[in-house]
Amino acid sequence: MPLVSFGSEFKNGSPQLTICFSAFGISVGIRTNAPETVPFLIEQLPPGSKPTSAAPGRVYTLRVDDGGSCPPRKRSTFRGVVLPSHLLLFENPPERCFELCVEGVTLARTRSLAEILEIFESDVQAHVAEMCDERLFVHAGVVGWKGRAILIPGRSGSGKTTLVASLLRAGATYYSDEYAVLDYQGRVHPYARALSLRAGQESIRMNAWPEAFGAVPGTEPLPLGLIIVTRYRTGAHWNPRVLSPGGAVLALIANTVGIRRQPAFALATLQRAVSSVLTLESDRSEADRMPPLVFSQLEAHMASSVGG
Amino acid sequence: MLPLARKEGLHVEEVSDELMVYDVARHKAHCLGPTAGSVWRNCNGRMTAEEISARVREEGTKIDEEMTWMILHRLGKLDLLHEKVALPKNAICSSRRDLMRKVLGAGGVCFLLATTILAPTAARAKSDGPRRGGHGHASRHDHDRGRGHGWGDEHDRGGRRQDGDNR
């Protein structure tokens, strides 16, 4: 089955390419008049995406034109890739304009392909996360340590990707920097996309695979061992307080994508997930100081659980 | 009208000794502490506050009628009762200091009462896209973006409105 096929629709004399894929049972389509953007779009799809012939429930349209009415680019927007040995940065040429629409709504119109890709990635992953019936998606970073998952719920800017990267450098296994994917038993599955790091200026985003931190990706679902409710604050001291199981569920609900759509499934799943978990809440300072504190807390909890 | 717990439009899950209640219409998630959960479960429309208080004590939870009224009042405000409870004039006659002492004696605010958050929309519970620096159209994300602090839109905390401090 071809991943990319020519559709029948023509716009301004240009054929529209149509891509259909499925991730976690949710099918999505993409149309574009710029075949050269397809490899970049595919790169943004959720992990495990596969070509499908199923009718897409949501169709994105990426139009590329000469940018007559496109707003000028006010800043550089780079996109980079971190490899174990070096760093790649690229930026699209500014003479073209990209417009991304979905269901009649313009998500963005800009001269920056990097920006379009970022918006597309964020939107398509959120759509899959919201519509999926088989898994519960909690916005969180996840690593594995000694057979247990450490989950760090939080929104963009809370510093969870930085903390995940730090835990990976200290020997943890990589599961996700975006979504904790929970099954009905409350186990966490890998969501193996590259870590999305902001470097220096906010406009520079770099994708880094766990190998760049000397870590390996997890392959098996793990039971939850530790939830860390934290955010970066300059000068903060890690002084955690233990949240009750109910408090843990609330902290996860606040970051659960499909909670409004399927609250019963979400509540039941989260209840199972927190059944034997330790939940700590505190502001933190530099991420590099955290791994020994986090690992020792989890190990002590595991030891007390076994002992108890 | 005797206190009657609302059941319809709610999803309830026991988590350890707490009760998680999700209000489908209001998209609010409540975590009822053991005492509040026990009171709520006994609001069957046939018992007075005094009787509920006695029943909860029989179940092993330390509570008096004054605390029961506080909880009933709070449950009403959270729309977890069919009708809000009007506090009788002398329902709460202890000083604030004595009330605090009672609350602490019952295990603290979280143990006694409830914590509430507004469930996030799908757009809010994800990483933001790039900040577009004034160019391009506003995306759907912008309409949904607000004071993001990772705890949902509304965290029912602080001052007298607050049942439990979850941070």
Side-chain angles (χ1 to χ4, degrees), chain A:
Chain A
M1 191 185 312
L3 178 65
V4 179
S5 63
F6 280 95
S8 57
E9 187 185 342
F10 285 70
K11 272 255 160 86
N12 302 325
S14 300
Q16 301 273 305
L17 276 172
T18 302
I19 309 168
C20 288
F21 71 91
S22 171
F24 296 95
I26 305 302
S27 60
V28 172
I30 305 165
R31 286 193 303 221
T32 180
N33 63 347
E36 67 277 16
T37 62
V38 168
F40 298 106
L41 292 167
I42 290 174
E43 197 181 299
Q44 316 310 316
L45 298 177
S49 296
K50 290 177 182 157
T52 181
S53 56
R58 187 176 176 90
V59 178
Y60 292 85
T61 304
L62 176 62
R63 289 193 192 89
V64 183
D65 57 45
D66 59 6
S69 62
C70 202
R73 190 162 55 189
K74 291 184 176 176
R75 59 177 169 79
S76 293
T77 305
F78 291 92
R79 192 169 180 89
V81 178
V82 180
L83 300 173
S85 55
H86 58 288
L87 166 69
L88 295 177
L89 280 176
F90 64 86
E91 185 181 33
N92 61 287
E95 65 270 14
R96 296 199 299 170
C97 189
F98 303 88
E99 185 180 70
L100 181 67
C101 304
V102 65
E103 294 172 349
V105 176
T106 301
L107 294 183
R109 182 168 167 80
T110 171
R111 291 180 187 273
S112 167
L113 176 59
E115 197 173 324
I116 287 288
L117 293 175
E118 220 170 288
I119 292 164
F120 171 67
E121 179 186 37
S122 177
D123 200 90
V124 72
Q125 295 198 59
H127 173 68
V128 169
E130 183 189 9
M131 302 310 290
C132 182
D133 289 327
E134 299 156 3
R135 298 278 189 266
L136 186 70
F137 287 69
V138 179
H139 196 207
V142 186
V143 300
W145 183 256
K146 299 197 172 175
R148 290 285 188 279
I150 300 171
L151 195 148
I152 308 155
R155 301 233 179 98
S156 182
S158 63
K160 67 183 178 348
T161 299
T162 312
L163 184 51
V164 165
S166 182
L167 295 169
L168 295 182
R169 282 191 206 96
T173 308
Y174 180 61
Y175 272 71
S176 176
D177 84 326
E178 180 72 4
Y179 292 119
V181 182
L182 303 175
D183 64 23
Y184 193 59
Q185 283 81 43
R187 296 176 308 167
V188 188
H189 291 251
Y191 189 79
R193 68 163 213 170
L195 284 87
S196 180
L197 296 163
R198 291 191 176 92
Q201 311 163 36
E202 281 197 358
S203 57
I204 300 181
R205 265 201 173 197
M206 286 175 293
N207 288 342
W209 288 97
E211 291 80 1
F213 305 98
V216 292
T219 54
E220 299 298 320
L222 292 179
L224 255 182
L226 178 62
I227 299 172
I228 303 174
V229 183
T230 188
R231 65 160 67 182
Y232 172 79
R233 189 168 59 81
T234 308
H237 291 284
W238 175 247
N239 183 22
R241 75 182 190 92
V242 177
L243 295 188
S244 67
V249 171
L250 274 192
L252 296 181
I253 285 176
N255 293 283
T256 297
V257 182
I259 182 72
R260 292 191 177 210
R261 194 175 152 267
Q262 41 182 359
F265 171 68
L267 272 190
T269 302
L270 294 176
Q271 186 254 1
R272 288 182 179 85
V274 305
S275 60
S276 60
V277 75
L278 172 67
T279 305
L280 301 175
E281 183 185 41
S282 171
D283 286 346
R284 66 165 179 83
S285 60
E286 302 307 319
D288 290 343
R289 297 179 189 171
M290 293 297 294
L293 302 169
V294 170
F295 294 152
S296 63
Q297 294 271 12
L298 174 57
E299 287 165 17
H301 175 65
M302 287 163 62
S304 68
S305 300
V306 171

